[in-house]
Amino acid sequence: NNNTNDDASPPSRLSTFQTDLQHFLNLTTPFQTYFDSIPHVNKNRMHYPEYMDICQSRYEGLRDVLVRQGETTSEWILQEFLKSEDVVVSGEEFFRESL
């Protein structure tokens, strides 16, 4: 996985975020990408006694509550939160699409 970009390709979300963060923090030195050298922590799936699979039918009621709350929160973020002058979002289009 190579995060470098040539002039012909659009910037990746990572490079856009790094550039936006650099400008937001008024840094003169760009961030260096080192993610390729970090080992993946979750290679082995571990199970804990408190683990639950929210997709199981027995959790349907809880899942419905969480989905409704997520929809309400998403709407508030899009309609209210992002309009604040104090809120800065990198890759706003992607952020909005993700919600």
Side-chain angles (χ1 to χ4, degrees):
N1 184 10
N2 189 350
N3 289 322
T4 60
N5 293 307
D6 59 22
D7 291 334
S9 65
S12 68
R13 288 195 309 266
L14 174 61
S15 65
T16 299
F17 173 74
Q18 289 172 323
T19 302
D20 290 349
L21 185 59
Q22 176 190 345
H23 293 146
F24 180 78
L25 297 173
N26 293 317
L27 301 176
T28 56
T29 305
F31 288 97
Q32 294 183 3
T33 301
Y34 60 92
F35 293 111
D36 292 338
S37 64
I38 298 174
H40 295 283
V41 177
N42 294 327
K43 282 185 180 178
N44 300 318
R45 187 174 193 97
M46 298 182 70
H47 292 279
Y48 298 93
E50 62 275 2
Y51 173 83
M52 61 186 266
D53 181 352
I54 193 71
C55 295
Q56 290 180 347
S57 60
R58 66 180 172 162
Y59 297 118
E60 184 175 354
L62 174 60
R63 189 172 55 250
D64 290 344
V65 169
L66 292 174
V67 168
R68 278 195 310 273
Q69 183 59 51
E71 290 169 346
T72 300
T73 302
S74 174
E75 185 176 317
W76 178 82
I77 289 170
L78 292 170
Q79 301 301 319
E80 303 294 330
F81 185 70
L82 290 179
K83 292 180 181 178
S84 171
E85 293 177 7
D86 298 322
V87 173
V88 177
V89 176
S90 175
E92 187 171 341
E93 181 179 341
F94 174 75
F95 181 81
R96 287 177 176 279
E97 289 172 5
S98 296
L99 286 176

